[in-house]
Amino acid sequence: MKNVLLCFLLLATGVAYAQPSPRQLYPGLFEAVQLGRVYPDNKTFVDLLPIVPPAEVMSAYQREKDQPGFDLKAFTQRYFALPAEDTATYHSNVAAGIRAHLDTLWTVLRRPARVTAPPYSSLVALPKSYVVPGGRFREVYYWDSYFTMLGLQEAGRTQQVRDMVDNFAYLIDQVGFIPNGNRTYYLTRSQPPFFAQMVQLLAQAEGTPATLAHYRPQLEKEYAYWMAGADSLQPGQATRRVVRMPKGELLNRYWDSSDQPREESYAEDVAAGKLTRQPLPEFYRNVRAAAASGWDFSTRWFGPANTMATIETTNLVPVDLNCLVLVLEQTLARAYQQEGNKAQAALYQQKAKSRAKAIQRYCWDRQAGWYVDYDLPERRRASIHTLAGVFPLAYGVATKGQASKAARRLESEFLRDGGLLTTSNESGQQWDAPNAWAPLQYLAVQGLRRYQHHALADTVAHRWTSLNVRVFRETGKLLEKYNVEDIHKTAGGGEYPLQDGFGWTNGVLLKLLNEQKQRQK
């Protein structure tokens, strides 16, 4: 029955991709492996390839599972394996320096195009090559890729940028949206929508403004995905990813079309579900929506109780998401302008203006001097301050006065020896203090520069790049996240060990290093 329901969910959300997920392929075995912690990381099993067809695996499992001495781990090792390319290890040459390391990593993290995925793999094949984050993240990720592309552009690898933009356009055409990553278990959700900015980056790198018009059909489809159901909403109502605000404006939220535990974190979700008072489908949906945000997990989503059991992601109208959809609207306006379609250009310009006003109305906390999320059921601004508040600066939503107040708040509340905290809450979650992440550092720097706060932007950029380079010299690694409060300790929290690689860290580091070099001239 669950398989039928999941297929229905995929069809209802426009997903045209028919490849089944691991939980669909191995009912019973999947749950036993994940809940039994056969592999410490639940993501391992869902990425494995079966050595024989699933029907044979399940037949053998049914025969053997009740036999005396049955060893589930030995069984999975007999019938499954990781692809060879995902077991290779890379050792950096620290003596060659950080720039040589970065240049090498583009090749190390590159994955080739595939016409089709391996039989019964959870991988969704992509027609052109792409760059993965690294470590356990063996596939392309949506919002990660934009920040990776910043580095690819700096490295002069424009063809790789184009290949990745083409892959995302392909996913929009095939699936109906850009999934969290190119895995079957990610096909129920997207991530922060950076496709418009990827297209802009490519247009800049190639020097061809017509790039926007070329990808306009896919930009339009992504916008339709985020706005699906908007016309039927009354003020204060929400459906899927769109919200009608109290005064009638349209904004967006994060959402996942499934209300089941995540396959790649199945044991964690089931365990967390035992602690919540929410109906389980609602709880799992909120957990999945937080995964769609990319901030998995943070007290940002937990409400006043600040625990995973009280997660309420779908109740919140996120300030960062709505700045990104604003960019999508602005990009569509420019694309239509290039095509000479003045009416459609004007329509999207008006949509963008309305959204900017709504962000100001609902997300600017005048007393705090900071942008926050909006709690729709409570009809009030969220109390927690997060680094998502820099997005209105990065994308020009703030007034000059608001930007000045936000810069002061950024310096007083978020700035530490290694860069900017994600939130000031120490919760054990990875998107909280003392951790910091490359994308947010980059957007903060860009936002500060946009409003001429260059001294603070220089400080943030210098502290962040210095931390990255020092850790590389000591360990030979560039990491997924960093502890910016105690710069001599590694970052922690989250559902998995600290990962190295790392796509977006590499991209942002190279971009900021080059900007620093340019500013010193």
Side-chain angles (χ1 to χ4, degrees):
M1 178 59 74
K2 283 191 175 82
N3 292 355
V4 173
L5 285 173
L6 184 54
C7 289
F8 174 77
L9 280 168
L10 296 180
L11 289 170
T13 52
V15 176
Y17 204 82
Q19 191 174 325
S21 70
R23 192 180 180 194
Q24 292 173 288
L25 288 170
Y26 310 107
L29 171 61
F30 170 88
E31 287 82 0
V33 170
Q34 300 293 63
L35 294 177
R37 290 288 190 182
V38 170
Y39 300 94
D41 183 350
N42 266 196
K43 192 175 182 302
T44 302
F45 182 64
V46 294
D47 291 353
L48 296 180
L49 287 175
I51 296 169
V52 298
E56 291 186 37
V57 175
M58 291 306 299
S59 178
Y61 178 64
Q62 295 302 328
R63 274 197 320 272
E64 299 178 28
K65 67 184 179 71
D66 295 325
Q67 297 297 317
F70 175 70
D71 187 327
L72 184 56
K73 184 166 187 177
F75 178 87
T76 60
Q77 290 174 336
R78 193 160 80 243
Y79 284 99
F80 296 89
L82 268 178
E85 66 191 32
D86 293 327
T87 59
T89 56
Y90 164 70
H91 298 286
S92 59
N93 179 7
V94 177
I98 188 69
R99 288 182 178 273
H101 178 69
L102 288 168
D103 202 52
T104 303
L105 279 178
W106 303 131
T107 303
V108 171
L109 298 175
R110 182 180 181 272
R111 296 294 177 267
R114 287 184 180 273
V115 178
T116 59
Y120 311 111
S121 169
S122 63
L123 192 70
V124 175
L126 294 174
K128 297 190 178 181
S129 66
Y130 53 93
V131 176
V132 303
R136 75 196 283 269
F137 301 107
R138 308 174 182 94
E139 48 285 308
V140 78
Y141 282 78
Y142 182 4
W143 80 306
D144 294 58
S145 293
Y146 171 68
F147 300 95
T148 300
M149 288 176 188
L150 292 174
L152 291 168
Q153 182 199 23
E154 291 295 313
R157 296 174 182 261
T158 303
Q159 184 56 53
Q160 185 65 74
V161 174
R162 173 170 277 282
D163 284 353
M164 293 173 72
V165 174
D166 283 345
N167 280 336
F168 288 126
Y170 168 84
L171 284 169
I172 290 173
D173 287 338
Q174 294 297 310
V175 179
F177 64 98
I178 299 175
N180 187 146
N182 62 320
R183 292 280 178 181
T184 56
Y185 51 79
Y186 287 145
L187 289 177
T188 54
R189 65 176 179 266
S190 188
Q191 272 199 322
F194 275 90
F195 182 63
Q197 293 179 74
M198 295 176 186
V199 172
Q200 290 181 24
L201 185 70
L202 180 61
Q204 178 188 351
E206 295 186 331
T208 53
T211 301
L212 300 188
H214 175 76
Y215 292 102
R216 195 266 304 159
Q218 288 81 25
L219 291 164
E220 192 85 67
K221 288 176 186 175
E222 179 168 59
Y223 189 69
Y225 167 79
W226 283 98
M227 303 306 294
D231 293 343
S232 63
L233 293 176
Q234 297 298 314
Q237 291 184 338
T239 182
R240 289 174 277 184
R241 296 158 294 278
V242 67
V243 174
R244 180 79 68 178
M245 301 301 286
K247 298 289 186 181
E249 308 96 332
L250 288 172
L251 291 176
N252 292 91
R253 65 175 177 175
Y254 288 110
W255 180 262
D256 187 304
S257 296
S258 174
D259 61 4
Q260 298 294 308
R262 293 168 297 155
E263 293 190 25
E264 74 280 9
S265 300
Y266 191 80
E268 288 85 353
D269 287 359
V270 170
K274 294 176 181 177
L275 303 177
T276 188
R277 294 182 179 179
Q278 296 178 24
L280 280 179
E282 180 182 323
F283 174 76
Y284 292 140
R285 177 105 60 195
N286 279 312
V287 168
R288 282 173 165 269
S293 78
W295 291 47
D296 43 339
F297 293 96
S298 168
T299 50
R300 176 186 185 185
W301 309 123
F302 291 173
N306 270 351
T307 69
M308 186 74 165
T310 60
I311 190 169
E312 55 174 15
T313 319
T314 59
N315 284 342
L316 298 172
V317 179
V319 61
D320 48 356
L321 170 61
N322 282 286
C323 289
L324 295 176
V325 181
L326 170 71
V327 174
L328 176 54
E329 290 166 336
Q330 292 170 333
T331 306
L332 277 164
R334 288 173 56 196
Y336 274 115
Q337 210 161 22
Q338 288 178 4
E339 295 176 16
N341 190 333
K342 294 181 180 179
Q344 284 296 99
L347 174 66
Y348 279 100
Q349 285 168 354
Q350 185 55 49
K351 287 177 184 289
K353 287 178 182 177
S354 297
R355 186 177 296 271
K357 287 180 181 178
I359 292 169
Q360 290 281 39
R361 170 175 281 170
Y362 295 103
C363 297
W364 174 247
D365 185 332
R366 184 181 303 174
Q367 186 175 354
W370 194 246
Y371 285 95
V372 296
D373 302 328
Y374 185 84
D375 188 319
L376 191 67
E378 296 293 328
R379 295 201 171 200
R380 59 171 174 78
R381 295 177 188 89
S383 58
I384 183 172
H385 297 167
T386 80
L387 208 49
V390 303
F391 278 65
L393 277 67
Y395 299 114
V397 175
T399 66
K400 189 175 180 180
Q402 288 169 329
S404 294
K405 290 179 180 178
R408 289 195 291 273
R409 171 66 64 179
L410 199 63
E411 187 168 15
S412 65
E413 185 171 352
F414 294 90
L415 185 63
R416 297 293 187 273
D417 289 346
L420 298 168
L421 292 171
T422 311
T423 76
S424 55
N425 292 343
E426 291 206 28
S427 66
Q429 299 295 338
Q430 63 175 350
W431 287 82
D432 280 321
N435 292 349
W437 300 76
L440 303 181
Q441 311 299 307
Y442 175 76
L443 290 169
V445 169
Q446 300 312 304
L448 290 168
R449 294 214 188 286
R450 184 166 193 152
Y451 290 89
Q452 309 304 310
H453 293 278
H454 293 297
L456 182 54
D458 288 343
T459 298
V460 173
H462 175 72
R463 292 186 185 186
W464 178 254
T465 56
S466 297
L467 176 59
N468 284 196
V469 172
R470 183 184 62 76
V471 171
F472 167 72
R473 287 173 178 164
E474 292 174 357
T475 67
K477 298 179 184 296
L478 286 169
L479 304 175
E480 176 193 23
K481 57 184 180 279
Y482 291 83
N483 183 332
V484 294
E485 202 138 42
D486 186 338
I487 60 174
H488 298 288
K489 289 184 179 179
T490 56
E495 300 174 326
Y496 53 84
L498 186 64
Q499 301 296 299
D500 69 317
F502 195 86
W504 63 18
T505 302
N506 308 339
V508 167
L509 177 58
L510 185 57
K511 179 73 171 176
L512 291 179
L513 286 174
N514 285 354
E515 284 185 356
Q516 287 172 346
K517 188 176 181 181
Q518 189 66 31
R519 288 178 63 79
Q520 290 167 0
K521 287 184 178 179

